[in-house]
Amino acid sequence: QRQMCIRDSALILVAVIPSEEVLIPPMTFVATANAVSHLGAVPHFIDIEKDFLGMSPHALEERLEEIAIKKNGRIYNKISGRRIAAIVPVHIFGTPARIIELKEIAYQWNIPLVEDAAEALGSWIKDGNHLRHCGSFGMASIISFNGNKIISTGGGGMILTNDKILASKAKHYSSTAKIKHPWAFIH
């Protein structure tokens, strides 16, 4: 068995299950595609922008228009028949992807956005009159603490969310999914 990574956990939180598709950019560390594959889901690559190296909002919108179909409130790939379960844009080398546009597309299609800000700790995006940190746009977002990151613990990371239900689930999962019981023993 392998240890679950922070990306896997974020995808589980937004309910990605085996045989579903997750839209990711091809320009990323292999951990992004691995997290999708480790859950039994299928990576579906969406082209990047040459100026930002992040997922292209234009390519995402064009691809969804080409392949996506709505059935019973969910989005499916009409070619593969699989549900499109999440969109995972990645901020590369601290350069923010065009996350505001990507988030709007995700919202229009009702597809959860999991923002991979593993390389973007300390990077900001102008949102209207405000500056916001990368990692503050997704339904869930991840920051990595791997050995090559700005804050390193040798491994691990954190999940960010403003959704209280997702935060509660994340906390539950991080405690080995323990539930209170009358025979608990603390040592």
Side-chain angles (χ1 to χ4, degrees), residues 93-150:
F93 308 129
T95 302
R98 290 186 28 210
I99 196 69
I100 295 169
E101 293 93 335
L102 294 167
K103 181 178 180 175
E104 179 60 32
I105 295 166
Y107 178 79
Q108 288 171 1
W109 284 92
N110 195 30
I111 302 172
L113 184 81
V114 176
E115 186 180 0
D116 186 334
E119 296 183 4
L121 187 63
S123 295
W124 298 81
I125 297 170
K126 187 166 175 112
D127 184 10
N129 293 326
H130 305 286
L131 284 175
R132 290 177 57 185
H133 282 285
C134 288
S136 66
F137 292 88
M139 177 184 272
S141 302
I142 65 103
I143 302 281
S144 175
F145 297 153
N146 201 8
N148 63 340
K149 300 300 186 265
I150 294 169

Side-chain angles (χ1 to χ4, degrees), residues 2 9 11-12 26 56 71 77 81 86 125-126 129 139 152 158 163 165 168-169 171 177 183:
R2 65 167 202 82
S9 299
L11 292 173
I12 289 169
S56 164
K71 293 184 200 171
N77 180 329
I125 297 170
K126 187 166 175 112
N129 293 326
M139 177 184 272
S152 175
M158 68 180 170
D163 184 303
I165 294 170
S168 178
K169 283 182 184 178
K171 186 173 182 176
W183 57 89

Side-chain angles (χ1 to χ4, degrees), residues 47-60:
D47 204 2
I48 64 166
E49 295 183 305
K50 68 175 186 162
D51 294 335
F52 298 100
L53 302 179
M55 183 183 286
S56 164
H58 175 73
L60 174 63

Side-chain angles (χ1 to χ4, degrees), residues 2 8 11 18 22 24 30-43:
R2 65 167 202 82
D8 299 10
L11 292 173
V22 177
I24 65 172
V30 71
T32 309
N34 281 351
V36 174
S37 295
H38 290 156
L39 294 178
V42 179

